Amino acid sequence: MALNLLSPAEIKSSPFLGSSNPGSPLFSLSKTQGSFNFKRKDYGTSRVHCSAQPPPSAWPGRAVPETNLRTWEGPKPLSIVGSTGSIGTQTLDIVAENPDKFRVVALAAGSNVTLLADQVKTFKPQLVAVRNESLVDELKEALADVKDKPEIIPGEQGVIEVARHPDAVSVVTGIVGCAGLKPTVAAIEAGKDIALANKETLIAGGPFVLPLAHKHKVKILPADSEHSAIFQCIQGLPEGALRRIILTASGGAFRDWPVDKLKEVKVADALKHPNWNMGKKITVDSATLFNKGLEVIEAHYLFGAEYDNIEIVIHPQSIIHSMVETQDSSVLAQLGWPDMRLPILYTMSWPDRVYCSEVTWPRLDLCKLGSLTFKMPDNVKYPSMDLAYAAGRAGGTMTGVLSAANEKAVEMFIDEKISYLDIFKVVELTCDKHREELVETPSLEEIIHYDLWARDYAASLQLSKSPALM
């Protein structure tokens, strides 16, 4: 079947999101009696497709363990990049509970030296890295009474060395943002399987990272709950069986708010997630549904599904973590209590399943739960979805720009420099500007360059008091 692809010139000359006016932003805002009216523009049905050959997916709609899986003696040796963050600490909780299954050979952290020192004393890694080089002496002092001291390498180079430690079989990547790209690339080049918790690895780096992973025969195992659910559902599917991916979303803080009330949103409102207790950035992303838009892009790169075959559904209870539909219309779902340790554990143990005690891992009781409900997401309330799909279809560096612009916009919103609705406008205007320089098959350096560019450009929109944001 022939693909209908646009040339690079056509991609750059067509408006982002297909608006009839190339200079027209996605939203129309008019000032009425001292307030803003938010109105969704009709941008038609035209779509932008990347003309470059898409990168190979990590799992082409199926997951089948190879017969020649790697072997090791004793507990599985792991490196953890971002050990003091949420993913890292939960990973270490799993290691502590299963010392016969896993052991830690290397740890990397940013600046939380106190917690890192405690982790070193508990898990006794061979190598430790602290990204903030000025804290190395403080770490050494904290480890002064440790008998078998680990090697300590400071700075970004130390994080890279942790990622490619020769004894590690798998690397858990828990660093947030593009800072996690270089260590992940180093781990892939060293032949380590990746327990993926860093979204930018695929959202920004997919066009570069996926071919590299295939070249080095490395497995990328998703550690977030939605993609882990999909990964679990496609275990053993025959080739070509996957028909559709259904990503579930809680709906965030404003799932029950009327659209016309969104202009009144304050930071405190956006940080009231109905189901989860998370950091500020991801909680705001849940409110805007940008988290789900980014997961659509990640699902495309992980499982090779076309964007037309990836859907979002609001599921307020957050019990079904995602679903897949097969060619014969069967729908397979993965259910469980909201607990990030479960998907992290599966990346560490795949293709095996590790027994979990009911004391620390409560089992799901559907009778106690009662009912599960679903509804379609509102594109007017969540314009992030259209932005994410458009960026995904443009491909190349556009997806990384989308993610970086959103991160900067959320930061400005939390700092009360822009309004809640401005988050969407900042992202759309940044992506629209990037069409002029879109790179379809970027290098790692280009990916990082445009990540930084997007943050700077997004910030300039606020600082310059652009009329579109006033």
Side-chain angles (χ1 to χ4, degrees):
M1 183 176 71
L3 296 176
N4 180 23
L5 300 175
L6 300 180
S7 69
E10 288 173 315
I11 289 174
K12 293 174 182 178
S13 64
S14 63
F16 195 68
L17 289 176
S19 171
S20 58
N21 177 2
S24 173
L26 176 62
F27 307 107
S28 173
L29 280 167
S30 60
K31 214 166 188 178
T32 306
Q33 296 179 345
S35 63
F36 290 114
N37 290 330
F38 178 76
K39 195 172 184 181
R40 183 84 170 110
K41 286 199 172 184
D42 180 10
Y43 58 84
T45 57
S46 63
R47 290 170 175 166
V48 176
H49 295 264
C50 183
S51 64
Q53 182 68 27
S57 59
W59 302 95
R62 62 200 297 259
V64 179
E66 298 170 351
T67 54
N68 58 340
L69 284 171
R70 300 176 194 184
T71 59
W72 55 88
E73 292 185 8
K76 186 176 184 178
L78 306 171
S79 285
I80 303 174
V81 177
S83 67
T84 58
S86 173
I87 297 296
T89 54
Q90 290 180 88
T91 301
L92 289 172
D93 286 344
I94 295 169
V95 173
E97 190 168 336
N98 299 277
D100 58 324
K101 300 287 194 306
F102 310 107
R103 65 185 177 93
V104 175
V105 297
L107 294 173
S111 57
N112 191 340
V113 170
T114 302
L115 179 55
L116 178 60
D118 289 341
Q119 292 174 346
V120 170
K121 293 173 184 178
T122 301
F123 296 98
K124 300 177 174 56
Q126 303 165 27
L127 174 65
V128 174
V130 55
R131 180 179 287 275
N132 189 337
E133 298 185 35
S134 66
L135 298 175
V136 170
D137 288 341
E138 184 179 338
L139 177 62
K140 288 181 178 179
E141 183 178 346
L143 298 176
D145 59 345
V146 174
K147 182 179 179 182
D148 297 318
K149 293 180 175 59
E151 180 183 3
I152 300 174
I153 304 179
E156 183 179 59
Q157 188 58 40
V159 180
I160 288 173
E161 294 304 326
V162 165
R164 64 186 181 195
H165 191 282
D167 291 349
V169 171
S170 294
V171 180
V172 179
T173 60
I175 290 183
V176 176
C178 270
L181 265 175
K182 286 185 178 180
T184 304
V185 167
I188 291 171
E189 290 176 337
K192 314 299 182 185
D193 286 339
I194 306 298
L196 183 67
N198 172 276
K199 289 183 179 297
E200 283 74 17
T201 295
L202 293 183
I203 293 168
F208 176 82
V209 167
L210 287 169
L212 191 70
H214 278 264
K215 176 184 175 181
H216 292 279
K217 296 180 172 55
V218 161
K219 300 300 183 188
I220 297 179
L221 302 152
D224 65 307
S225 59
E226 292 82 2
H227 299 104
S228 176
I230 297 163
F231 182 60
Q232 292 180 59
C233 289
I234 66 172
Q235 297 297 310
L237 286 184
E239 187 173 355
L242 181 64
R243 184 175 182 176
R244 181 171 54 129
I245 287 173
I246 304 167
L247 288 167
T248 55
S250 69
F254 307 127
R255 68 186 180 203
D256 299 320
W257 282 42
V259 172
D260 58 6
K261 192 180 176 184
L262 294 179
K263 61 181 178 291
E264 304 170 8
V265 166
K266 305 298 182 186
V267 174
D269 299 322
L271 296 178
K272 295 176 183 176
H273 194 284
N275 297 353
W276 301 80
N277 181 18
M278 306 178 291
K280 290 184 178 181
K281 197 270 181 181
I282 185 60
T283 305
V284 175
D285 278 351
S286 296
T288 62
L289 223 67
F290 258 114
N291 69 324
K292 211 54 52 177
L294 294 171
E295 286 171 11
V296 166
I297 296 168
E298 197 172 1
H300 167 76
Y301 282 133
L302 277 168
F303 308 111
E306 296 295 333
Y307 285 102
D308 288 352
N309 297 325
I310 306 174
E311 298 181 8
I312 299 171
V313 63
I314 302 296
H315 170 48
Q317 294 81 19
S318 296
I319 294 297
I320 295 179
H321 298 300
S322 276
M323 298 171 271
V324 302
E325 181 185 15
T326 59
Q327 294 293 347
D328 59 6
S329 78
S330 290
V331 175
L332 311 178
Q334 188 266 328
L335 288 70
W337 295 118
D339 189 335
M340 275 300 298
R341 293 176 304 163
L342 285 171
I344 295 170
L345 173 61
Y346 196 54
T347 66
M348 297 162 64
S349 67
W350 183 85
D352 297 326
R353 295 278 187 174
V354 173
Y355 173 80
C356 294
S357 165
E358 291 185 49
V359 175
T360 54
W361 304 73
R363 297 167 72 181
L364 183 64
D365 188 328
L366 291 175
C367 294
K368 287 184 179 179
L369 185 65
S371 62
L372 303 175
T373 58
F374 309 89
K375 63 180 179 179
M376 290 181 61
D378 184 342
N379 287 59
V380 177
K381 183 184 289 187
Y382 303 114
S384 50
M385 294 188 297
D386 293 320
L387 288 164
Y389 277 94
R393 290 184 171 110
T397 48
M398 187 64 79
T399 51
V401 164
L402 174 93
S403 177
N406 172 65
E407 189 170 330
K408 188 62 182 180
V410 170
E411 177 187 317
M412 292 191 291
F413 166 66
I414 291 172
D415 292 341
E416 299 185 346
K417 294 178 179 178
I418 62 173
S419 74
Y420 173 79
L421 295 179
D422 283 340
I423 294 173
F424 306 106
K425 288 173 284 173
V426 166
V427 175
E428 195 268 343
L429 289 168
T430 304
C431 289
D432 191 64
K433 181 66 175 177
H434 181 58
R435 291 184 301 107
E436 301 171 6
E437 299 183 28
L438 187 148
V439 181
E440 295 169 339
T441 309
S443 65
L444 181 61
E445 291 72 22
E446 287 170 321
I447 290 167
I448 294 172
H449 167 77
Y450 283 110
D451 174 90
L452 296 172
W453 171 86
R455 296 168 194 275
D456 290 343
Y457 187 82
S460 75
L461 290 172
Q462 183 268 330
L463 294 173
S464 65
K465 302 295 182 184
S466 166
L469 300 177
M470 294 179 65

